[in-house]
Amino acid sequence: MNKLNNEDLLEIVGGANILTATFLNAVARCIESILEVGRAIGSSLARLSKGNICH
């Protein structure tokens, strides 16, 4: 195996691309979860303010 010198190392291009399908799917699921929590809190607040709660 050949060792690379500093000039060769500087010419290397590449690396992880952050916009992968897995990353985008995780972001979408996170946003979906946040929206679902917001809906649940909003629904609870609406039921409490209208006095429509189960005992």
Side-chain angles (χ1 to χ4, degrees), residues 1-54:
M1 180 188 292
N2 295 334
K3 289 193 172 189
L4 298 175
N5 59 26
N6 287 340
E7 291 81 21
D8 293 334
L9 291 173
L10 290 173
E11 292 180 16
I12 295 175
V13 178
N17 185 2
I18 194 166
L19 291 178
T20 62
T22 304
F23 177 76
L24 292 176
N25 188 23
V27 170
R29 285 180 183 255
C30 183
I31 292 171
E32 197 173 308
S33 296
I34 291 170
L35 288 174
E36 189 61 36
V37 168
R39 285 188 195 108
I41 291 172
S43 176
S44 296
L45 290 175
R47 288 176 53 205
L48 284 173
S49 66
K50 292 179 182 178
N52 187 13
I53 56 174
C54 299

